[in-house]
Amino acid sequence: MSHSTEFGRVFVCAHNGNEMSLSTSAQRQMIGDGRMTSEAAAQALDRNTQIALQTDWTAFSEAEQMKARRRQPYVKAVDDLDFRVRDKAEHRKEAIARAHATSPIPLSKMPSLVSVNRWWKRWLASGRDIRALVPGDAAKGNRTPRLPKWVHEEIERAIDEAYACDPPGSIAAAQERARDLVLLRAHREGLPLPVGAKEIIGKHVVKRAIARRSRYELDVVRYGRRQADRNAAMVGAGPSAERYFQEVEIDHSVLDLLVVDEDGIVLGTPYITILIDRYTRMILGFSLSFVPPSWVSVMDALQMAVLPKEPVIDRICRGRERPEKDWPVVGVPGTLFVDRGAEFRSVSMQGCEQALGMTVVDLPPGGPEKKGKVERSFGIFNKKVFHRTPGTKFASVAQRKKNNHDAEGQACLTLGHVRWCILHHIVDVYNQEKHPRTGQKPIDRWNASVDAYGPLPGPEPETIGQYVGVTPVRKLTREGIRYETLRWNSNALQALRDRQGNGDVVVRIDNNDLSVAWALDETSGRWIPGDLVSGDGVDGMTLDEFKQGRKARRAAESFDADDELSKARARERIRGSIDEVRKAPDKRKAPRPFREDGRKAAEHVRPDRFDPEASALPMADHDMDVAPDLATQDARGPWRETVLPPLAAARQPVTADRSPKIDDDEANAASVETPEPSPAPLSKPPQAQPFTITRRK
């Protein structure tokens, strides 16, 4: 490409694009040397050569590079000929023969004059670029489509229906759909099927057709635009801070590990929450529990991160070996980066944010790379610790099948033991290893930052303690506070009950310490402690461990069919007895098992009184050493007479004004023979004197 000026013409260098002004004599010299070509000659190059000139030299294979190097001596020999004899065939043949004899890497057979002329013209038109000598082997062969156009149309339709669809399909499903569509259209329109194929279409035809399509457009249809953007987006190194505790990331994950309780019952897979410092890569705190991601686990991990670590280490180790290294992490994060989970939007989280003076920042959804530092730590724990532990579930189904691992059968670690392992890995391993990104150990980078900016004071335990744990509402009674079969009580709680009476109170229970529960005194605004008084076996357990253990034990209980059947029969008998009374005509009568021959139901317990004046008699002696002389009893209770005593046994006559009036009919009835009385008692109590009623004539 060139244009005229008053000093000559301006040309563009084919190598670097620079412009140069050449006089007429300079142009003649460059044309003679073959160092000047026209733009039309460059555009006349075949497509394969144009593509090769746009390809980086290192992108060619070793075989292609070697062929180009072997061709270069031949074209160089022709190019070195004097331009006055260069177009002579005999001179070119001599040059080709000399190049073949002297080349360090000659071709196996000396090339013909026609081939060298073709290479030289292509090489010269490209500005003597060795890439023009690369053979176009990829362009060789028959380029005529083997399958007719209508078959390709059905293949594209199958991709749309069975692969690029919602829900997304597989390549195998698209292959099967394409085969069916080709068969149906051939039958419907009378079209011939491809001749000579073992199958209707090749097994890689659909896969190649998918590869020719835009990956982004396919992902938009299959997974949605958000996921397609994530797949197509460039992932960088992620944000970083300038000092320790300036920016902190927090997130949750599930451990690939099954844990058991003290009795060996499998409790399940725990959740882990981790806080990590962006600048130093130091892990600040963690929480391990069966509680799904919630503000309870967030506060538990945050409390460990901001407070001194000695109490935490004492609680986790509890009779086990302590870490050898220090964990000098204490302070409040300046900015806490979180995802858009509900636990980070709770009222308690907002109150904790204000109390500690930090800023909580919501990261946009669908961007895990924005908190990639904490995401990477989850993979470290799973791969370096728990994938080598009995009870691991591994990360994928393929790994489980490959390793043939029985996770439930080999699970042996309790939640406390797993928490101890995590503590030791953080303090003695992770913090002491050189980080690949920073090139420093996290502990060294932390100490250097503390020395440069000074130590940060930690908050008071009471400041964050009020946000840690569960805060249910429970009744405060004389028995104290009950929650999940646990009970707390103290003199201070009873004093609170005396002031406000039995009623509901807000209770705070620390997930990591069940020995004390706190009740809120709304009058003074203080938390009143109560000691654990019932809950054997919970020493050293967290609240979620206790809950999960109860749940697992109930699930592990076997069903006793005989015992349940016995209880069902007993309940049925009780129900039948109640229904019998309910359906009786007179519900006031006692049921039949308690009625005896017309007597009152309680007659054997409270018999009728014979003497209306017996209460006026003097009391008899109560000698407890002498057994009382009682009447004999039958099977139904104390015996009593059914007829009146003889008339002659009257104690004293009854006066006229007190004697009952008896008519003649009653007197005649008295002479009628009465039934045989029941056997008389062997003796009478000494204090009971017999009496009779005299009949007045």
Side-chain angles (χ1 to χ4, degrees):
M1 181 180 295
S2 63
H3 58 275
S4 301
T5 64
E6 58 180 339
F7 301 104
R9 297 185 68 86
V10 176
F11 295 85
V12 177
C13 181
H15 295 286
N16 52 28
N18 296 331
E19 293 184 349
M20 60 182 70
S21 178
L22 299 176
S23 62
T24 305
S25 60
Q27 295 176 31
R28 292 195 188 99
Q29 183 64 36
M30 294 185 69
I31 292 174
D33 296 339
R35 291 183 294 150
M36 182 178 293
T37 60
S38 63
E39 183 68 18
Q43 294 179 354
L45 294 173
D46 60 274
R47 178 171 176 77
N48 293 332
T49 304
Q50 294 179 7
I51 294 175
L53 293 174
Q54 298 174 4
T55 305
D56 188 83
W57 173 252
T58 58
F60 295 107
S61 64
E62 290 291 337
E64 291 174 331
Q65 293 181 11
M66 182 57 67
K67 287 184 178 181
R69 292 194 187 100
R70 288 181 172 180
R71 289 178 178 182
Q72 189 180 28
Y74 300 98
V75 297
K76 184 69 169 55
V78 174
D79 191 63
D80 290 341
L81 291 174
D82 189 272
F83 72 95
R84 290 172 293 183
V85 296
R86 187 181 297 157
D87 56 346
K88 304 297 182 180
E90 58 273 13
H91 292 282
R92 290 192 179 187
K93 288 182 180 179
E94 293 176 359
I96 294 173
R98 286 194 304 269
H100 186 72
T102 59
S103 175
I105 48 174
L107 294 173
S108 58
K109 182 180 179 181
M110 188 174 66
S112 64
L113 178 61
V114 176
S115 298
V116 174
N117 287 340
R118 185 174 66 251
W119 298 343
W120 179 73
K121 291 178 181 178
R122 194 165 63 207
W123 179 65
L124 192 63
S126 65
R128 294 180 173 83
D129 195 324
I130 192 175
R131 291 175 293 181
L133 301 178
V134 174
D137 294 339
K140 296 179 180 179
N142 186 6
R143 291 293 178 264
T144 304
R146 186 180 66 86
L147 298 176
K149 183 179 179 180
W150 68 270
V151 174
H152 287 286
E153 293 175 355
E154 298 303 322
I155 291 174
E156 296 297 327
R157 177 184 169 189
I159 294 174
D160 293 334
E161 294 181 358
Y163 183 80
C165 56
D166 187 17
S170 61
I171 296 179
Q175 178 81 13
E176 180 180 314
R177 181 59 178 164
R179 182 178 181 276
D180 294 344
L181 290 177
V182 169
L183 286 173
L184 292 173
R185 183 169 178 179
H187 176 73
R188 183 174 61 252
E189 300 180 6
L191 299 173
L193 294 174
V195 180
K198 295 181 180 179
E199 292 289 342
I200 302 302
I201 55 177
K203 60 180 181 179
H204 299 300
V205 171
V206 175
K207 185 177 181 179
R208 289 194 296 266
I210 293 175
R212 288 192 295 268
R213 284 201 180 188
S214 170
R215 175 68 181 272
Y216 178 79
E217 294 178 357
L218 291 175
D219 286 349
V220 168
V221 179
R222 287 166 58 82
Y223 310 115
R225 189 167 297 279
R226 177 182 297 179
Q227 184 64 32
D229 291 339
R230 288 185 58 185
N231 295 341
M234 180 187 66
V235 179
S240 184
E242 298 179 355
R243 62 174 179 84
Y244 78 107
F245 257 139
Q246 182 182 12
E247 296 180 356
V248 176
E249 297 177 3
I250 183 172
D251 203 0
H252 318 279
S253 184
V254 181
L255 286 185
D256 298 333
L257 183 72
L258 291 176
V259 299
V260 300
D261 64 359
E262 298 295 340
D263 299 327
I265 299 176
V266 177
L267 300 180
T269 303
Y271 297 89
I272 185 171
T273 303
I274 292 180
L275 287 93
I276 190 170
D277 184 70
R278 278 184 171 178
Y279 176 73
T280 64
R281 306 304 201 271
M282 193 86 156
I283 293 181
L284 309 178
F286 70 93
S287 172
L288 185 72
S289 67
F290 292 105
V291 179
S294 63
W295 70 270
V296 176
S297 56
V298 171
M299 292 302 162
D300 187 19
L302 188 61
Q303 182 188 36
M304 181 187 295
V306 301
L307 295 179
K309 299 299 182 289
E310 287 302 319
V312 174
I313 295 175
D314 293 340
R315 173 172 53 83
I316 294 178
C317 291
R318 197 185 295 269
R320 293 191 178 97
E321 186 177 359
R322 296 170 61 88
E324 297 180 0
K325 303 294 183 179
D326 294 331
W327 197 8
V329 175
V330 59
V332 178
T335 305
L336 184 65
F337 290 92
V338 303
D339 55 23
R340 305 178 70 85
E343 65 272 16
F344 301 113
R345 300 171 177 269
S346 62
V347 176
S348 299
M349 190 66 189
Q350 296 174 4
C352 183
E353 177 184 6
Q354 297 172 353
L356 296 180
M358 64 181 181
T359 303
V360 177
V361 176
D362 283 333
L363 294 172
E369 69 279 354
K370 295 180 176 60
K371 48 183 177 61
K373 298 170 182 60
V374 68
E375 296 284 354
R376 181 177 179 272
S377 64
F378 294 137
I380 291 175
F381 280 116
N382 279 323
K383 293 179 181 179
K384 293 189 176 182
V385 182
F386 300 116
H387 285 179
R388 308 171 184 176
T389 304
T392 178
K393 297 175 64 178
F394 291 104
S396 64
V397 178
Q399 285 180 304
R400 299 168 200 166
K401 292 182 178 180
K402 179 180 179 181
N403 293 275
N404 194 22
H405 185 70
D406 182 13
E408 294 189 5
Q410 297 187 13
C412 60
L413 297 184
T414 62
L415 194 66
H417 198 167
V418 175
R419 192 178 288 112
W420 180 86
C421 294
I422 293 176
L423 173 67
H424 274 256
H425 187 80
I426 290 175
V427 178
D428 289 343
V429 180
Y430 176 83
N431 291 344
Q432 310 301 324
E433 289 183 338
K434 183 181 294 186
H435 196 277
R437 183 71 64 180
T438 64
Q440 293 178 286
K441 297 179 181 179
I443 185 66
D444 294 341
R445 195 173 176 88
W446 177 274
N447 292 332
S449 184
V450 171
D451 294 340
Y453 293 94
L456 293 177
E460 294 295 330
E462 294 78 10
T463 303
I464 192 173
Q466 58 182 324
Y467 300 102
V468 178
V470 296
T471 56
V473 177
R474 288 294 182 270
K475 284 190 175 297
L476 176 60
T477 65
R478 60 184 299 179
E479 294 183 348
I481 299 169
R482 290 184 177 273
Y483 181 76
E484 293 288 341
T485 70
L486 301 176
R487 186 164 66 90
W488 295 267
N489 207 348
S490 66
N491 293 332
L493 287 180
Q494 293 307 312
L496 176 62
R497 186 175 68 90
D498 292 339
R499 293 194 298 270
Q500 68 179 25
N502 292 347
D504 294 337
V505 293
V506 178
V507 180
R508 191 183 80 222
I509 304 173
D510 191 347
N511 184 61
N512 295 318
D513 186 9
L514 299 181
S515 61
V516 181
W518 306 79
L520 179 62
D521 185 356
E522 296 182 355
T523 303
S524 63
R526 295 185 299 109
W527 290 95
I528 309 301
D531 300 324
L532 182 67
V533 295
S534 67
D536 298 336
V538 301
D539 185 28
M541 297 178 61
T542 62
L543 181 60
D544 58 277
E545 281 182 89
F546 175 74
K547 291 181 179 180
Q548 193 73 8
R550 288 182 57 216
K551 180 180 178 181
R553 282 189 291 273
R554 287 196 299 265
E557 291 177 354
S558 59
F559 179 76
D560 191 346
D562 295 337
D563 183 57
E564 294 297 326
L565 179 60
S566 176
K567 290 188 288 186
R569 289 174 177 172
R571 288 191 290 264
E572 185 65 22
R573 289 194 298 270
I574 296 172
R575 184 182 183 88
S577 176
I578 296 174
D579 288 344
E580 182 180 352
V581 177
R582 181 175 58 83
K583 295 178 181 179
D586 189 357
K587 298 183 179 61
R588 293 173 297 176
K589 292 183 179 180
R592 183 167 183 173
F594 304 104
R595 294 200 302 266
E596 295 294 341
D597 300 336
R599 295 186 304 158
K600 295 188 300 183
E603 188 173 341
H604 65 291
V605 177
R606 181 187 289 179
D608 290 340
R609 183 179 296 172
F610 297 114
D611 186 1
E613 299 179 357
S615 60
L617 298 176
M619 295 183 62
D621 296 334
H622 293 273
D623 190 355
M624 303 305 295
D625 296 332
V626 180
D629 187 11
L630 301 177
T632 58
Q633 301 179 1
D634 59 11
R636 298 174 298 175
W639 174 86
R640 75 179 180 89
E641 293 180 343
T642 59
V643 297
L644 296 175
L647 297 177
R651 179 168 56 87
Q652 62 181 5
V654 181
T655 58
D657 57 339
R658 292 176 57 86
S659 61
K661 295 181 180 181
I662 303 176
D663 54 15
D664 294 339
D665 294 335
E666 292 179 350
N668 294 333
S671 62
V672 179
E673 183 178 358
T674 59
E676 184 70 18
S678 301
L682 298 178
S683 62
K684 295 287 184 179
Q687 67 274 14
Q689 300 180 7
F691 70 94
T692 58
I693 301 177
T694 58
R695 299 181 182 277
R696 187 174 182 180
K697 296 182 181 179

